[in-house]
Amino acid sequence: MKKLFLLCLSLVVITSACSKKLKTDGCPTGQICTMMFASVGTQFVDQNGNNIAVKDFKVFNTRTNKYISVKGIIEDGSQPTHYTIVTDGNKKEVSTEGDELRITATSVSANKAISVVYKISGGCNCHVEKLSGPEKIVVE
């Protein structure tokens, strides 16, 4: 009987230790997410709405003071004027509540510097999501 009690006590301790470990990362354990792989992107357009090319496209997280390198995207070249800001591969690089990401680039034709801020969430959410920011960035 004493051995059974010790076995049960050990199982309770192990189970509670595992439970505490799951909660220490801050994310809910019972969350159900789709298998979809999400991304957030943008396009640069001129005043007439025509797509334009940019160079030196960069994404900077103002909360962490770090640049984000897009992960997990396969560019097939079919949309050369679409620029990916983040994907689900970058989810842990942005907070659950959303971070301000500063997008910078230079227009190829006018050699003009561009800077726009997007608020994007990730973290414990199932997928990255744009909370605010323009659909397209208009370069004047």
Side-chain angles (χ1 to χ4, degrees), residues 80-92:
T81 56
H82 178 82
Y83 297 86
T84 304
I85 299 169
V86 292
T87 70
D88 280 347
N90 300 104
K91 194 169 70 159
K92 292 184 179 181

Side-chain angles (χ1 to χ4, degrees), residues 33-41 70-74 82 84-92 94 120-122 125-130:
C33 298
T34 65
M35 294 298 292
M36 178 183 81
F37 188 79
S39 65
V40 176
V70 178
K71 297 177 185 169
I73 192 79
I74 299 172
H82 178 82
T84 304
I85 299 169
V86 292
T87 70
D88 280 347
N90 300 104
K91 194 169 70 159
K92 292 184 179 181
V94 291
I120 297 176
S121 64
N125 297 320
C126 288
H127 304 287
V128 292
E129 180 181 4
K130 179 179 84 168

Side-chain angles (χ1 to χ4, degrees), residues 23-124:
K23 292 180 183 177
T24 59
D25 69 358
C27 295
T29 57
Q31 190 174 24
I32 299 172
C33 298
T34 65
M35 294 298 292
M36 178 183 81
F37 188 79
S39 65
V40 176
T42 192
Q43 291 179 295
F44 294 84
V45 296
D46 63 18
Q47 294 173 335
N48 298 321
N50 299 313
N51 289 328
I52 62 168
V54 298
K55 60 183 179 179
D56 303 324
F57 178 81
K58 294 182 182 169
V59 180
F60 183 78
N61 188 324
T62 61
R63 178 183 60 86
T64 63
N65 288 321
K66 293 182 180 179
Y67 284 96
I68 294 176
S69 178
V70 178
K71 297 177 185 169
I73 192 79
I74 299 172
E75 298 289 353
D76 64 2
S78 65
Q79 295 185 10
T81 56
H82 178 82
Y83 297 86
T84 304
I85 299 169
V86 292
T87 70
D88 280 347
N90 300 104
K91 194 169 70 159
K92 292 184 179 181
E93 296 178 64
V94 291
S95 68
T96 303
E97 299 78 26
D99 292 345
E100 290 188 346
L101 304 183
R102 187 179 336 114
I103 311 307
T104 57
T106 304
S107 68
V108 172
S109 59
N111 203 34
K112 181 179 180 182
I114 305 155
S115 181
V116 177
V117 174
Y118 283 78
K119 187 168 185 179
I120 297 176
S121 64
C124 292

